[in-house]
Amino acid sequence: MADPNRRGVLVAGLLALPAVSVACSAPAARESPAPTVLAHTSDVPIGGGLIVPEHRIVVTQPTSGTFTAFSSVCPHDGCLVNLVVDGTIGCPCHGSRFAVADGAVVRGPALRALSPRSIAVDGDSIALG
């Protein structure tokens, strides 16, 4: 059986400890990572677009100063689009074409539009947004 006096001493000893002050500070602010720049506005022709293969994205400028972006993966069979010409984005696998303005199907066999992607334009930089 435990010695009740020893237990009392231990409790008394803990209660007799001096108060300790601990300074708490707010966590350090986390720096936001730099945005991933895809292109410069001058790289994207008016009425056309620019394919950025390493991000699987196509950035378009349907009208002067209006920039949009879409996944470069064709919804028909998963191929990557490879050209932007005559106001359309083209897929080499089966000939599907998509509008630079909204990614809508212009010519099949694709039945769905290209998926929109979020971008941000800051000055002359176009970044993932």
Side-chain angles (χ1 to χ4, degrees), residues 30-116:
R30 293 185 184 172
E31 291 184 29
S32 297
T36 301
V37 175
L38 299 170
H40 291 94
T41 55
S42 60
D43 298 333
V44 185
I46 298 169
L50 174 73
I51 298 168
V52 186
E54 59 270 22
H55 294 285
R56 292 189 171 198
I57 194 168
V58 57
V59 179
T60 66
Q61 185 177 193
T63 59
S64 182
T66 301
F67 295 90
T68 57
F70 309 98
S71 168
S72 64
V73 179
C74 179
H76 171 249
D77 202 23
C79 294
L80 298 178
V81 299
N82 72 341
L83 73 136
V84 183
V85 63
D86 297 329
T88 63
I89 303 162
C91 179
C93 292
H94 301 104
S96 292
R97 307 289 288 202
F98 306 90
V100 296
D102 59 6
V105 176
V106 173
R107 181 176 79 204
L111 300 175
R112 291 180 294 121
L114 292 175
S115 299

